Every structure is written in structure tokens, then in C-alpha cells.
Amino acid sequence: MQYRLGVVLLAGGSASRYGRNKLLETSGGKSLIEQVIGVYAPLTLQPVVLVTGAYHKALSSQIRRPDVICHYNPHWQQGMGNSLASGLSAGLARFPATSHWLIGLGDQPRVSTASLSKLVKASNQSPHKMVASAWKDRLTAPAIFPVEHCKTLTMLTGDRGAAWVLRQGAMTVPSTCEGVIHPEAEWDIDTPEDWAKFHC
């Protein structure tokens, strides 16, 4: 199968620690989610699958661009794993020719197209391996999954997300997961204080 990258971007949570919809906080005239979409969109030739949940109406009304599909997960309250499974299932059904899926998070403003390109390069070089963001001995999203690993992701439930699958792959012999140093992935927006620090 020819290498073809798809993107699933998770934006379904309620942001309970933030107290409101953090993804619509604005900087430089753009919301956080618009900035993050702008980082991921250049990496794929097909629309980004944006998985919404708690704030579906607000997000879908603002994100009106042809390179984004808003996929509503009605069971978003069950956790990130459920949202990932729902969004990836929708992506697999809509884009069956996709060979690899990049899973990203909507609240990581320090991740850039350039930093993600390192993961894409590693994935091209080892197309049968999962490629994870590595920082402080952790393997996390953003991460790229060959389509043959996606069945496991579509069965996730609760808060068990991509990181669990990546850890399992790293422990197999031989390993099915490769880590790429990606310090930008360490930092996300959880609280208003985080957002304030991002602008310092």
C-alpha cells in the first residue's frame, strides 16, 4: 500500500480543569483549535478528522473549512479512549486508502508542523512500526499508527488512550513502536494558568 497519512485530532473533552472551552481561547486573532488544525493540516492530503464532544456546537460552528471534518462522538463522556476509537473508526470508513494515521491532541500549542514532520519522516522510514512522541521516558501522542495497528485503537474505551497502545508496542520483542524525541509534546493547556504561561 502506498504511504498515505490521515489525521485524527482529539477535541472532545469538557476541559473541566480549565472551567470553559479552552480550545476557543484566542491568540493573534485565531483560536487555539484553529492554530492546532493549521499545524496538522499541511501533513495530509485529505481532510483532518476533528473529534468533538462536549463543545461540538461551538467548535463545529467556528471550524468551517473544507480540509476539516467535524466528527461528533456522542459518548465523549466515556473518556479520551472512546473519542479516539470513535474518530478513528469514522476516518477508516471514510478514507479506506489511508495507510497511516497521525493521532493528535487539540490542546498542544507548542507542537509544530516542523516537529511533527520528524515523526512523519520516521514513519516513512519504518512504515510497519508505530511512531510515538518521546519525552522524559514517555511515549505519547502525537503518534503515527500503521493501519494494521488501528483495530486495537478502535476498541479503546474509557481514558485508556493511544499511550497505552504505544507502551504495549514498545514492550514487544521485537518492538513495534519507535520513539522520536519530541519535547514540544510534553506541554498542553490544562488550566487558565497554562494559557497565560503560553503567552509569556
Side-chain angles (χ1 to χ4, degrees):
M1 181 183 291
Q2 183 179 4
Y3 192 97
R4 184 181 180 92
L5 186 68
V7 173
V8 171
L9 197 53
L10 303 180
S14 63
S16 58
R17 291 179 60 191
Y18 200 92
R20 58 184 184 273
N21 187 356
K22 60 185 176 181
L23 299 181
L24 292 185
E25 295 284 23
T26 58
S27 172
K30 286 188 176 182
S31 65
L32 172 58
I33 193 60
E34 286 178 307
Q35 294 176 44
V36 173
I37 289 171
V39 164
Y40 281 85
L43 299 170
T44 179
L45 297 176
Q46 60 198 39
V48 171
V49 179
L50 181 69
V51 186
T52 63
Y55 299 108
H56 171 70
K57 289 184 178 179
L59 291 173
S60 60
S61 64
Q62 181 173 114
I63 308 302
R64 296 181 178 274
R65 38 190 293 177
D67 57 350
V68 177
I69 296 170
C70 287
H71 169 76
Y72 174 61
N73 173 29
H75 306 295
W76 61 268
Q77 292 168 309
Q78 294 182 21
M80 183 182 294
N82 186 274
S83 284
L84 171 52
S86 178
L88 183 55
S89 294
L92 289 167
R94 184 149 185 169
F95 305 109
T98 305
S99 66
H100 293 73
W101 286 92
L102 170 58
I103 308 300
L105 307 176
D107 61 354
Q108 293 183 319
R110 289 183 177 169
V111 169
S112 67
T113 303
S115 69
L116 290 170
S117 294
K118 298 175 185 177
L119 275 68
V120 177
K121 181 179 179 180
S123 179
N124 272 278
Q125 293 173 342
S126 301
H128 296 293
K129 284 191 174 185
M130 297 178 282
V131 176
S133 295
W135 50 274
K136 291 184 179 178
D137 297 322
R138 297 186 64 179
L139 297 173
T140 66
I144 298 175
F145 296 84
V147 71
E148 57 262 34
H149 290 280
C150 287
K151 183 177 180 181
T152 301
L153 295 175
T154 61
M155 295 188 293
L156 292 173
T157 58
D159 285 322
R160 177 178 282 184
W164 177 81
V165 178
L166 296 168
R167 287 195 300 269
Q168 296 299 309
M171 291 188 293
T172 62
V173 180
S175 172
T176 58
C177 179
E178 176 180 341
V180 173
I181 301 301
H182 193 195
E184 295 88 347
E186 178 181 355
W187 200 76
D188 57 11
I189 303 292
D190 280 332
T191 66
E193 289 74 24
D194 292 336
W195 181 249
K197 289 177 183 177
F198 175 61
H199 294 285
C200 291

PDB file of all heavy atoms in Angstrom, residues 68-82:
ATOM      1  N   VAL A  68     -11.343  20.110   6.924  1.00  0.00           N
ATOM      2  CA  VAL A  68     -11.650  19.597   8.263  1.00  0.00           C
ATOM      3  C   VAL A  68     -13.037  18.975   8.275  1.00  0.00           C
ATOM      4  O   VAL A  68     -13.999  19.571   7.779  1.00  0.00           O
ATOM      5  CB  VAL A  68     -11.581  20.713   9.335  1.00  0.00           C
ATOM      6  CG1 VAL A  68     -11.984  20.167  10.707  1.00  0.00           C
ATOM      7  CG2 VAL A  68     -10.186  21.322   9.400  1.00  0.00           C
ATOM      8  N   ILE A  69     -13.135  17.780   8.846  1.00  0.00           N
ATOM      9  CA  ILE A  69     -14.415  17.122   9.071  1.00  0.00           C
ATOM     10  C   ILE A  69     -14.648  17.057  10.576  1.00  0.00           C
ATOM     11  O   ILE A  69     -13.831  16.487  11.307  1.00  0.00           O
ATOM     12  CB  ILE A  69     -14.430  15.694   8.494  1.00  0.00           C
ATOM     13  CG1 ILE A  69     -14.287  15.726   6.979  1.00  0.00           C
ATOM     14  CG2 ILE A  69     -15.706  14.954   8.897  1.00  0.00           C
ATOM     15  CD1 ILE A  69     -14.062  14.358   6.369  1.00  0.00           C
ATOM     16  N   CYS A  70     -15.730  17.664  11.050  1.00  0.00           N
ATOM     17  CA  CYS A  70     -16.061  17.590  12.471  1.00  0.00           C
ATOM     18  C   CYS A  70     -16.869  16.319  12.725  1.00  0.00           C
ATOM     19  O   CYS A  70     -17.986  16.169  12.211  1.00  0.00           O
ATOM     20  CB  CYS A  70     -16.853  18.820  12.912  1.00  0.00           C
ATOM     21  SG  CYS A  70     -15.874  20.329  13.036  1.00  0.00           S
ATOM     22  N   HIS A  71     -16.302  15.419  13.498  1.00  0.00           N
ATOM     23  CA  HIS A  71     -16.976  14.168  13.830  1.00  0.00           C
ATOM     24  C   HIS A  71     -17.408  14.215  15.295  1.00  0.00           C
ATOM     25  O   HIS A  71     -16.566  14.296  16.197  1.00  0.00           O
ATOM     26  CB  HIS A  71     -16.052  12.977  13.598  1.00  0.00           C
ATOM     27  CG  HIS A  71     -16.597  11.692  14.156  1.00  0.00           C
ATOM     28  ND1 HIS A  71     -17.623  10.984  13.542  1.00  0.00           N
ATOM     29  CD2 HIS A  71     -16.294  11.006  15.295  1.00  0.00           C
ATOM     30  CE1 HIS A  71     -17.905   9.909  14.270  1.00  0.00           C
ATOM     31  NE2 HIS A  71     -17.121   9.909  15.335  1.00  0.00           N
ATOM     32  N   TYR A  72     -18.698  14.184  15.528  1.00  0.00           N
ATOM     33  CA  TYR A  72     -19.221  14.248  16.894  1.00  0.00           C
ATOM     34  C   TYR A  72     -19.261  12.861  17.519  1.00  0.00           C
ATOM     35  O   TYR A  72     -19.841  11.930  16.956  1.00  0.00           O
ATOM     36  CB  TYR A  72     -20.619  14.850  16.892  1.00  0.00           C
ATOM     37  CG  TYR A  72     -21.298  14.828  18.253  1.00  0.00           C
ATOM     38  CD1 TYR A  72     -20.740  15.507  19.332  1.00  0.00           C
ATOM     39  CD2 TYR A  72     -22.490  14.126  18.437  1.00  0.00           C
ATOM     40  CE1 TYR A  72     -21.356  15.489  20.576  1.00  0.00           C
ATOM     41  CE2 TYR A  72     -23.117  14.110  19.679  1.00  0.00           C
ATOM     42  CZ  TYR A  72     -22.538  14.793  20.747  1.00  0.00           C
ATOM     43  OH  TYR A  72     -23.143  14.764  21.975  1.00  0.00           O
ATOM     44  N   ASN A  73     -18.625  12.728  18.688  1.00  0.00           N
ATOM     45  CA  ASN A  73     -18.690  11.488  19.456  1.00  0.00           C
ATOM     46  C   ASN A  73     -19.730  11.647  20.559  1.00  0.00           C
ATOM     47  O   ASN A  73     -19.476  12.336  21.546  1.00  0.00           O
ATOM     48  CB  ASN A  73     -17.322  11.170  20.078  1.00  0.00           C
ATOM     49  CG  ASN A  73     -17.405   9.971  21.017  1.00  0.00           C
ATOM     50  OD1 ASN A  73     -18.231   9.090  20.831  1.00  0.00           O
ATOM     51  ND2 ASN A  73     -16.533   9.947  22.007  1.00  0.00           N
ATOM     52  N   PRO A  74     -20.887  11.015  20.418  1.00  0.00           N
ATOM     53  CA  PRO A  74     -21.940  11.195  21.424  1.00  0.00           C
ATOM     54  C   PRO A  74     -21.591  10.596  22.781  1.00  0.00           C
ATOM     55  O   PRO A  74     -22.246  10.898  23.779  1.00  0.00           O
ATOM     56  CB  PRO A  74     -23.146  10.473  20.796  1.00  0.00           C
ATOM     57  CG  PRO A  74     -22.541   9.459  19.882  1.00  0.00           C
ATOM     58  CD  PRO A  74     -21.304  10.100  19.343  1.00  0.00           C
ATOM     59  N   HIS A  75     -20.551   9.783  22.822  1.00  0.00           N
ATOM     60  CA  HIS A  75     -20.148   9.147  24.081  1.00  0.00           C
ATOM     61  C   HIS A  75     -18.846   9.740  24.613  1.00  0.00           C
ATOM     62  O   HIS A  75     -18.074   9.052  25.277  1.00  0.00           O
ATOM     63  CB  HIS A  75     -19.990   7.635  23.865  1.00  0.00           C
ATOM     64  CG  HIS A  75     -21.201   6.980  23.284  1.00  0.00           C
ATOM     65  ND1 HIS A  75     -22.416   6.911  23.946  1.00  0.00           N
ATOM     66  CD2 HIS A  75     -21.401   6.391  22.076  1.00  0.00           C
ATOM     67  CE1 HIS A  75     -23.298   6.296  23.186  1.00  0.00           C
ATOM     68  NE2 HIS A  75     -22.717   5.972  22.049  1.00  0.00           N
ATOM     69  N   TRP A  76     -18.616  11.017  24.342  1.00  0.00           N
ATOM     70  CA  TRP A  76     -17.376  11.682  24.732  1.00  0.00           C
ATOM     71  C   TRP A  76     -17.125  11.603  26.231  1.00  0.00           C
ATOM     72  O   TRP A  76     -15.974  11.611  26.683  1.00  0.00           O
ATOM     73  CB  TRP A  76     -17.388  13.140  24.277  1.00  0.00           C
ATOM     74  CG  TRP A  76     -18.491  13.961  24.870  1.00  0.00           C
ATOM     75  CD1 TRP A  76     -19.729  14.183  24.344  1.00  0.00           C
ATOM     76  CD2 TRP A  76     -18.463  14.660  26.119  1.00  0.00           C
ATOM     77  NE1 TRP A  76     -20.483  14.971  25.174  1.00  0.00           N
ATOM     78  CE2 TRP A  76     -19.726  15.281  26.283  1.00  0.00           C
ATOM     79  CE3 TRP A  76     -17.506  14.825  27.119  1.00  0.00           C
ATOM     80  CZ2 TRP A  76     -20.046  16.046  27.402  1.00  0.00           C
ATOM     81  CZ3 TRP A  76     -17.818  15.587  28.232  1.00  0.00           C
ATOM     82  CH2 TRP A  76     -19.077  16.196  28.360  1.00  0.00           C
ATOM     83  N   GLN A  77     -18.192  11.531  27.024  1.00  0.00           N
ATOM     84  CA  GLN A  77     -18.042  11.497  28.484  1.00  0.00           C
ATOM     85  C   GLN A  77     -17.346  10.232  28.963  1.00  0.00           C
ATOM     86  O   GLN A  77     -16.886  10.166  30.102  1.00  0.00           O
ATOM     87  CB  GLN A  77     -19.412  11.632  29.157  1.00  0.00           C
ATOM     88  CG  GLN A  77     -20.042  13.006  28.960  1.00  0.00           C
ATOM     89  CD  GLN A  77     -21.496  13.039  29.357  1.00  0.00           C
ATOM     90  OE1 GLN A  77     -22.288  12.199  28.928  1.00  0.00           O
ATOM     91  NE2 GLN A  77     -21.865  13.985  30.197  1.00  0.00           N
ATOM     92  N   GLN A  78     -17.258   9.231  28.108  1.00  0.00           N
ATOM     93  CA  GLN A  78     -16.617   7.982  28.498  1.00  0.00           C
ATOM     94  C   GLN A  78     -15.094   8.068  28.466  1.00  0.00           C
ATOM     95  O   GLN A  78     -14.415   7.137  28.889  1.00  0.00           O
ATOM     96  CB  GLN A  78     -17.104   6.844  27.602  1.00  0.00           C
ATOM     97  CG  GLN A  78     -18.589   6.535  27.780  1.00  0.00           C
ATOM     98  CD  GLN A  78     -19.051   5.375  26.922  1.00  0.00           C
ATOM     99  OE1 GLN A  78     -18.247   4.551  26.484  1.00  0.00           O
ATOM    100  NE2 GLN A  78     -20.352   5.296  26.686  1.00  0.00           N
ATOM    101  N   GLY A  79     -14.542   9.162  27.957  1.00  0.00           N
ATOM    102  CA  GLY A  79     -13.097   9.352  28.027  1.00  0.00           C
ATOM    103  C   GLY A  79     -12.404   9.461  26.687  1.00  0.00           C
ATOM    104  O   GLY A  79     -12.993   9.239  25.626  1.00  0.00           O
ATOM    105  N   MET A  80     -11.103   9.792  26.758  1.00  0.00           N
ATOM    106  CA  MET A  80     -10.316  10.024  25.556  1.00  0.00           C
ATOM    107  C   MET A  80     -10.228   8.779  24.680  1.00  0.00           C
ATOM    108  O   MET A  80     -10.250   8.865  23.452  1.00  0.00           O
ATOM    109  CB  MET A  80      -8.909  10.494  25.915  1.00  0.00           C
ATOM    110  CG  MET A  80      -8.046  10.834  24.720  1.00  0.00           C
ATOM    111  SD  MET A  80      -6.365  11.333  25.161  1.00  0.00           S
ATOM    112  CE  MET A  80      -6.707  12.878  26.012  1.00  0.00           C
ATOM    113  N   GLY A  81     -10.117   7.616  25.306  1.00  0.00           N
ATOM    114  CA  GLY A  81     -10.026   6.384  24.520  1.00  0.00           C
ATOM    115  C   GLY A  81     -11.242   6.185  23.651  1.00  0.00           C
ATOM    116  O   GLY A  81     -11.139   5.783  22.483  1.00  0.00           O
ATOM    117  N   ASN A  82     -12.405   6.478  24.206  1.00  0.00           N
ATOM    118  CA  ASN A  82     -13.638   6.334  23.447  1.00  0.00           C
ATOM    119  C   ASN A  82     -13.697   7.318  22.294  1.00  0.00           C
ATOM    120  O   ASN A  82     -14.115   6.980  21.178  1.00  0.00           O
ATOM    121  CB  ASN A  82     -14.841   6.522  24.373  1.00  0.00           C
ATOM    122  CG  ASN A  82     -16.154   6.253  23.693  1.00  0.00           C
ATOM    123  OD1 ASN A  82     -16.725   7.142  23.070  1.00  0.00           O
ATOM    124  ND2 ASN A  82     -16.641   5.025  23.786  1.00  0.00           N
TER     125      ASN A  82
END
